[in-house]
C-alpha cells in the first residue's frame, strides 16, 4: 500500500503551458470552443454549388490525368517564355537594387539616417502580398508583363534586402575591426571583410528568390500581369481542363528543375 502511494506521489505531470489556473483554463477553452462553433455557423454554404463544384473538380482531375499539350501549345509556349523572362529580369533587377539597400539597412555599417531610410523601404516592400501589388500595378500600367516585372522586382527588394541586412549584422565583428584597424575606408571594409562572409548566403538567397518569383509569376498572371498565369486562367475560363492540366504539369516540372539546380549551385558556392 505504501509503495503504491509513493508511486502516485512521484508521478510527474507536465504543467500546462498556458493558464496555470485550472478554472480560468477551462473557461477560456470553453469560450474558444463556443466562438469556433458560432463562427462556423456564420459561413454560408451553398450545397448545390458544392455539388456542381465536385463535378467540375472531377473533370479537372480527369484533364490533369490526360493533359493536352498540343491544342494550345502556341499559347502555352508564349506564356512560359513570358513567365521565364519576367522571372529572370525581375530577379536580376531586384538583386541589383537589394544589395545597396541591404547594406544600408545593416546597423553595424550604416549611419542612423541611412539605416532608417533603408529599413523604411524594406518595411514598405514587405507590407503587401505580391497579388495586391500586382492588382495596383495592373491598374496603373495596364495588363501585360511590365506590371508583372515591377511586382516581382518590388517583392524581391523586400525579401532580399531584409535577409541580407540580417546576415551582415551577424558577421564576425573581429574581422571587421581588423580591417578597420589597418586604416581601410568604409568601402574597403565592405569589400574585404563583409563581402566574403555574406556572398555564399547572398547567392543562395538569390537562387531561392528566383524559384519564388517563377511560382509567383504564375499567380500574378491571373490578375493580368502576364506570364503563364494568364494562359492558365484563360484555359480554366474556357473549361479546357486538359490544357490547364498540361500547364500545371509544366509549372511543376520547371519548379523542380529550378529547385534541384539551385540546390546544386548553393552547395557548389558554399
Amino acid at each position: 500500500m505504501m509503495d503504491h502511494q509513493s508511486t502516485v506521489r512521484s508521478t510527474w505531470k507536465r504543467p500546462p503551458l498556458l493558464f496555470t489556473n485550472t478554472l480560468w483554463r477551462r473557461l477560456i477553452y470553453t469560450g474558444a470552443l463556443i466562438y469556433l462553433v458560432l463562427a462556423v455557423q456564420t459561413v454560408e454554404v451553398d450545397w448545390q454549388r458544392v455539388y456542381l463544384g465536385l463535378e467540375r473538380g472531377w473533370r479537372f482531375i480527369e484533364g490533369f490525368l490526360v493533359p493536352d499539350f498540343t491544342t494550345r501549345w502556341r499559347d502555352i509556349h508564349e506564356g512560359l517564355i513570358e513567365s521565364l523572362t519576367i522571372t529572370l529580369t525581375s530577379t536580376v533587377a531586384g538583386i541589383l537594387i537589394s544589395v545597396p539597400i541591404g547594406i544600408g539597412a545593416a546597423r553595424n555599417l550604416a549611419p542612423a539616417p541611412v539605416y532608417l531610410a533603408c529599413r523604411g523601404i524594406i518595411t514598405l516592400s514587405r507590407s503587401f502580398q505580391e497579388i495586391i501589388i500586382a492588382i495596383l500595378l495592373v491598374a496603373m500600367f495596364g495588363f501585360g508583363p511590365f506590371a508583372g516585372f515591377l511586382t516581382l522586382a518590388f517583392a524581391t527588394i523586400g525579401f532580399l534586402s531584409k535577409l541580407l541586412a540580417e546576415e551582415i549584422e551577424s558577421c564576425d565583428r573581429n574581422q571587421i575591426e581588423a580591417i578597420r584597424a589597418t586604416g581601410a575606408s568604409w568601402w574597403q571594409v565592405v569589400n574585404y571583410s563583409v563581402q566574403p562572409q555574406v556572398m555564399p548566403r547572398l547567392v543562395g538567397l538569390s537562387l531561392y528568390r528566383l524559384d519564388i518569383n517563377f511560382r509567383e509569376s504564375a499567380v500574378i498572371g491571373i490578375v493580368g500581369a502576364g506570364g503563364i498565369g494568364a494562359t492558365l486562367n484563360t484555359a480554366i475560363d474556357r473549361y479546357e481542363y486538359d490544357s490547364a492540366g498540361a500547364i500545371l504539369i509544366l509549372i511543376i516540372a520547371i519548379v523542380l528543375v529550378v529547385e534541384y539546380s539551385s540546390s546544386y549551385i548553393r552547395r557548389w558556392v558554399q
Side-chain angles (χ1 to χ4, degrees):
M1 185 65 180
M2 292 297 292
D3 292 338
H4 175 69
Q5 290 179 348
S6 62
T7 303
V8 172
R9 289 195 194 98
S10 62
T11 301
W12 180 81
K13 186 178 181 181
R14 188 177 66 178
L17 296 176
L18 299 173
F19 314 120
T20 54
N21 186 288
T22 305
L23 177 62
W24 278 108
R25 186 169 65 251
R26 290 177 178 174
L27 286 174
I28 291 173
Y29 286 167
T30 304
L33 181 61
I34 293 172
Y35 174 79
L36 179 62
V37 172
L38 294 176
V40 170
Q41 290 179 349
T42 61
V43 179
E44 298 180 0
V45 180
D46 187 346
W47 292 106
Q48 184 179 3
R49 190 165 183 174
V50 171
Y51 176 75
L52 295 175
L54 290 175
E55 182 184 356
R56 282 196 293 266
W58 176 247
R59 286 169 53 197
F60 183 81
I61 293 174
E62 287 181 331
F64 191 80
L65 295 175
V66 189
D68 181 6
F69 292 91
T70 56
T71 306
R72 295 286 177 185
W73 174 245
R74 184 175 178 181
D75 295 335
I76 295 173
H77 179 261
E78 290 178 355
L80 281 176
I81 295 297
E82 195 169 85
S83 262
L84 291 172
T85 305
I86 293 172
T87 301
L88 189 60
T89 54
S90 64
T91 304
V92 172
I95 292 170
L96 293 178
I97 300 172
S98 297
V99 171
I101 294 177
I103 294 174
R107 191 186 292 271
N108 57 345
L109 287 181
V114 176
Y115 170 79
L116 293 175
C118 292
R119 284 288 174 178
I121 295 172
I122 293 173
T123 303
L124 179 65
S125 174
R126 292 172 52 81
S127 299
F128 303 102
Q129 265 285 337
E130 284 87 343
I131 193 74
I132 298 175
I133 301 171
I135 292 172
L136 294 175
L137 291 175
V138 166
M140 292 171 62
F141 300 106
F143 295 101
F146 183 63
F149 164 77
L150 292 178
T151 300
L152 296 181
F154 186 70
T156 301
I157 292 170
F159 173 85
L160 204 61
S161 299
K162 176 179 172 57
L163 296 179
L164 178 61
E166 292 177 353
E167 190 70 18
I168 293 174
E169 288 176 347
S170 62
C171 281
D172 187 355
R173 181 179 297 179
N174 293 330
Q175 292 189 31
I176 297 176
E177 293 301 326
I179 296 295
R180 280 177 177 161
T182 63
S185 63
W186 179 87
W187 176 250
Q188 289 173 323
V189 170
V190 172
N191 191 30
Y192 293 109
S193 177
V194 176
Q195 183 264 340
Q197 296 187 63
V198 302
M199 182 55 74
R201 178 70 170 159
L202 177 61
V203 172
L205 290 173
S206 301
L207 294 171
Y208 182 51
R209 187 63 212 185
L210 180 72
D211 179 17
I212 294 175
N213 280 351
F214 179 73
R215 283 179 286 164
E216 291 296 334
S217 71
V219 176
I220 62 176
I222 295 175
V223 297
I228 193 63
T231 311
L232 176 64
N233 191 38
T234 302
I236 294 176
D237 288 342
R238 293 176 178 173
Y239 302 103
E240 296 173 348
Y241 298 125
D242 45 3
S243 296
I247 293 171
L248 291 177
I249 289 173
L250 288 173
I251 291 175
I252 294 171
I254 293 176
V255 168
L256 285 175
V257 170
V258 173
E259 174 65 22
Y260 286 121
S261 302
S262 62
S263 300
Y264 174 77
I265 294 174
R266 280 198 297 269
R267 286 197 300 270
W268 178 70
V269 170
Q270 294 172 357

